Structure formats: structure tokens, C-alpha cells
Amino acid sequence: MTTRVLVVEDDPGVAAGLVRGLVAAGFWVELATNGRAGLESALRGVFDLVVLDLMLPERSGLEILADLDRRRRIPVIVLTARTDLPDRLRSFDLGAIDYVPKPFFLEELVARIRLHLGLRAAAPRRRVRFSGVTVDLDARVARQGEAALPLTRAELDVLAYLVERPGRAIPREQLAEGASSSLEPCDARTIDSHVARIRKKLGEGGAAAIVTVWGIGYRFEPPEDEG
């Protein structure tokens, strides 16, 4: 299977060289030339790794890292002309797996991508199964049998947040914050509506795993033989 890499870079010359070099190295590459488009692509698509500049129009690389760290686990290599220590440390705090300063050697970047993808390939895929439902947290899809459930992005965010924390009572405010992003805002007042729609789409068996904790919020409680 071809490895999919998202490049988020606004400099035309650097972007062209990156895309050309990574394609030549055997990767499938998508390019986003501003921060907002980059975040949309990262949340929408299925990528193995993101190469991310920090100084971007519309949304900065650090803002993208913060959103991805909260919303979706995906390996990110920062590629930037900003080389000061606070930016490096902040990037790692927000989940970056590597930090490559510009100017850079394309061959070294390719080697780092292959290294990190090799480590990632050894990790098991994150799937949660209950009552005939499978939530694939890496592919960002929920299935009942072989059929994909028609969950919206916000509904999938809420469901994923709950199933990653089984047995814990999650307050509505925390669930809203954890499932929210600049692209799909969510607040405590809409959580009940999202959960109602999720339960309906999960069906009777799956819906029973999302328990209402009165006065607090919700808890994911799969059947004991599946937890």
C-alpha cells in the first residue's frame, strides 16, 4: 500500500521541491499551501504522516499541532526556518515526532519519514469493538458489521472521545472541549443532541453502551464480555 504524506507548506519553491522529491521516493503526496487547508486535509483524509511548516497563512503550524494533538493522532514532522529552542520544545509538547530546520537535505527528510513510519507500522491499529460496532480510531470510521455508520464529523469526534475513556464519567463541558475544533465547533449545549443522534445510529445494542450520568454527562460502558 502506498504511503500517504500530507505536506503543509506555503513557499512555492520549497513546496514544489518537497512534492517532487517525496513522490520520487515512492510516497503519495497531497499539498496544502495554507494552515486552514492543511488542517482540513489532515482531519478529512487518511494520511500516514504530515510534514508541517510553522509559519503559515490563515493558521499557524503550532495551532494545527494543537488541534491535531487534541483531535486526531497522526505523526507530524515539523519542517521550518524557526530554529529557536522554545519553538522546538512547544512543537514536541504538542505532539510533533521530529523537528527538521530549514535549509534541509531532502534525503535526510525522506530517511526520517521512513524511520518514523517504520516505528508506527509496528504499533497495533486502534480499534474499539462493542455490540457489533467497530470504531476505528485511526481510520476515523465506525462500522456495524461491514457497513459504515453515517456519523457526522462532530458525532464521530464525540463517540471517539468516549470510547477512548471507557468507564469514566465525562462531564458535558469536557466532552465538548475534547470533541471541538476550529472546523467543527461544539459546546456543552449541543452534546445531548449529538449523543441522541449517535445512539440512534448505533442501534439498540450499541446505544446501550453510552450511559447517561445524570447531572454530569456520559460514560462509555461496553458489555463486560467485550470491554
Side-chain angles (χ1 to χ4, degrees), residues 17-18 20-22 24-25 27 77 79 98 100 103-115:
L18 276 170
R20 185 168 55 249
L22 293 177
F27 301 118
I77 294 179
L79 182 69
D98 209 342
V100 179
F104 63 98
F105 293 102
L106 181 62
E107 295 84 355
E108 179 186 0
L109 178 62
V110 169
R112 288 174 181 266
I113 291 174
R114 286 176 173 158
L115 171 65

Side-chain angles (χ1 to χ4, degrees), residues 55-212:
M55 296 183 289
L56 295 165
E58 299 194 30
R59 288 188 68 85
S60 74
L62 290 176
E63 290 177 310
I64 294 173
L65 276 172
D67 220 329
L68 290 178
D69 183 58
R70 189 157 44 88
R71 295 287 310 287
R72 183 177 185 184
R73 297 294 180 179
I74 180 171
V76 178
I77 294 179
V78 172
L79 182 69
T80 180
R82 290 165 60 170
T83 59
D84 55 303
L85 183 59
D87 283 330
R88 292 172 182 260
L89 295 179
R90 182 61 176 155
S91 295
F92 287 124
D93 285 343
L94 292 174
I97 61 171
D98 209 342
Y99 196 102
V100 179
K102 297 175 181 177
F104 63 98
F105 293 102
L106 181 62
E107 295 84 355
E108 179 186 0
L109 178 62
V110 169
R112 288 174 181 266
I113 291 174
R114 286 176 173 158
L115 171 65
H116 291 300
L117 290 179
L119 294 173
R120 181 175 180 266
R125 191 153 189 165
R126 299 180 305 151
R127 291 190 178 99
V128 179
R129 296 181 174 89
F130 62 98
S131 303
V133 175
T134 300
V135 181
D136 190 324
L137 296 166
D138 293 319
R140 286 185 56 78
V141 64
R143 298 183 183 278
Q144 197 159 47
E146 296 298 318
L149 295 173
L151 297 173
T152 66
R153 177 187 290 165
E155 291 163 2
L156 185 57
D157 289 339
V158 171
L159 179 60
Y161 197 90
L162 286 169
V163 302
E164 286 186 291
R165 297 160 178 82
R168 291 171 51 185
I170 308 297
R172 288 177 175 81
E173 294 76 12
Q174 179 183 338
L175 187 53
E177 182 180 356
S180 182
S181 80
S182 59
L183 300 178
E184 195 79 30
C186 181
D187 58 47
R189 293 174 298 176
T190 63
I191 287 296
D192 291 341
S193 298
H194 287 319
V195 170
R197 289 193 292 269
I198 291 168
R199 283 171 168 163
K200 183 176 181 180
K201 293 175 182 180
L202 289 177
E204 184 176 350
I210 301 180
V211 179
T212 299

